[in-house]
Amino acid sequence: MALILAPAHPPNSPARLHALIPAAGIGSRAGTAGPKQYELLDGRLLVLHTLSAFTRVRRLASVLVVVAPGDQRLAAGEGYDVVPCGGATRAASVAAGLDELARRGASGHDWVLVHDAARCLVQPEWIEALIAACEHDTVGGLLAQPLTDTLKAEEGGRVQATLPRGGKWLAQTPQMFRLDTLRQALAQAGDAVTDEASAIEAMGLRPMLVAASGQNIKVTWPEDFALAQAVLRSRQP
Ligand code: C5P
C-alpha cells in the first residue's frame, strides 16, 4: 500500500481510492478524560480498530489519518500514515486532509472515502460494498441505514411534532466522493457541515445511499464503549 503518492498520478489513468480518517476531535460527549479515539478497546486504541478494517481493503491506494496539531499519540503504521493537520471542526479536518492528499499526488479524479475514526466497528466488507456501489457512479455515496425508530422534533424538552420516518435514513461513514468535487463542496459549504454528503448535496448533487449495518455505530456516548467492546468480542473466533 503506497503511503507517499508522488510522483503525481498521470492524467487519464484509472482513478485510485484513498481513505481519509478524521481523528482530530476531542469527543466531548464521550465522558472520557482524553479524546475518545484513544480509549482502549480490547487493549487496543479505538482508532486502531478502525484502521485495522481499512488496511485490509486491498483496493485502497492509501490510508491517511488526520490528527490535531501537536498530537503524537498515534504514529504512522503498517498501511497507514498520520498527518497533524486537524482543524477546529470535522469539516475543517477533512478539508485539510484532502489538501494533504492532493499535495501527496492524489489526482482530483481519485475517489476519497472519508470515515469517522470513532466508527471503530466498521468491517472491510462494508467498505468494499460502498466502493462496489459507487465507483462507477457519477456522484458517489455513503453508507446509511433506513430509520426504524419514530422521529420526534423537540422544543423545550417536549415533543413539538412527530415527523414521518418513511424515506429517512441515518447517515454513516465511509462517504465516498471524488477528491476535487469534495474539496470544492467543502470550500463552499463551510465549517458547519457534519458530513461530506451534505456539502455535496449543497452543490445540487444527489449522493447514493448504500444500505449498511446498524453495527457501524459512531462511538459517542459513555455507554457506547461497552457496546463496541461487546461487538468486538463477539467477532473473535
Ligand atoms: O465529534 P464527532 O463524533 O461527530 O466526530 C466525528 C469524527 O470527526 C471523529 O472521528 C473525530 O475525531 C473527527 N473530528 C475531527 N476534527 C474535529 C472534530 C471531529 O477530525 N475538529
Side-chain angles (χ1 to χ4, degrees):
M1 186 177 294
L3 293 177
I4 306 298
L5 304 175
H9 198 47
N12 304 325
S13 47
R16 291 179 299 178
L17 297 121
H18 310 281
L20 183 65
I21 320 274
I26 52 169
S28 55
R29 292 168 292 185
T32 49
K36 59 188 174 183
Q37 57 272 28
Y38 299 124
E39 286 296 301
L40 290 181
L41 283 182
D42 258 353
R44 201 148 67 127
L45 297 183
L46 187 151
V47 61
L48 289 179
H49 290 282
T50 310
L51 286 167
S52 147
F54 278 88
T55 53
R56 283 181 282 151
V57 177
R58 302 186 67 84
R59 292 286 313 277
L60 292 172
S62 70
V63 177
L64 186 64
V65 187
V66 175
V67 299
D71 181 358
Q72 298 185 332
R73 283 168 283 204
L74 181 70
E78 183 71 40
Y80 65 91
D81 205 358
V82 179
V83 59
C85 64
T89 62
R90 183 185 180 284
S93 297
V94 171
L98 294 173
D99 291 348
E100 179 63 21
L101 278 177
R103 203 185 62 75
R104 293 174 179 218
S107 136
H109 191 60
D110 284 354
W111 291 104
V112 182
L113 284 79
V114 181
H115 181 78
D116 297 322
R119 289 187 195 271
C120 58
L121 298 178
V122 68
Q123 299 268 54
E125 311 85 89
W126 306 343
I127 302 166
E128 284 155 3
L130 178 71
I131 294 171
C134 294
E135 68 178 329
H136 301 298
D137 190 66
T138 49
V139 178
L142 62 148
L143 291 186
Q145 213 193 9
L147 200 63
T148 52
D149 294 331
T150 303
L151 190 60
K152 305 287 185 192
E154 179 256 9
E155 201 175 72
R158 289 181 175 271
V159 175
Q160 186 253 331
T162 298
L163 306 173
R165 72 174 175 210
K168 304 257 182 348
W169 292 58
L170 292 168
Q172 300 180 356
T173 65
Q175 303 199 355
M176 171 170 161
F177 299 103
R178 301 270 187 195
L179 174 63
D180 263 0
T181 314
L182 190 50
R183 286 177 92 186
Q184 195 190 334
L186 287 173
Q188 286 174 12
D191 268 4
V193 288
T194 51
D195 75 346
E196 291 60 56
S198 46
I200 296 283
E201 292 153 41
M203 296 176 90
L205 299 171
R206 297 182 62 192
M208 187 190 301
L209 290 161
V210 179
S213 165
Q215 277 192 359
N216 189 20
I217 60 163
K218 182 171 66 168
V219 172
T220 304
W221 305 106
E223 63 267 30
D224 293 343
F225 294 95
L227 189 61
Q229 173 100 25
V231 173
L232 288 171
R233 293 222 166 126
S234 75
R235 289 176 183 170
Q236 282 166 8

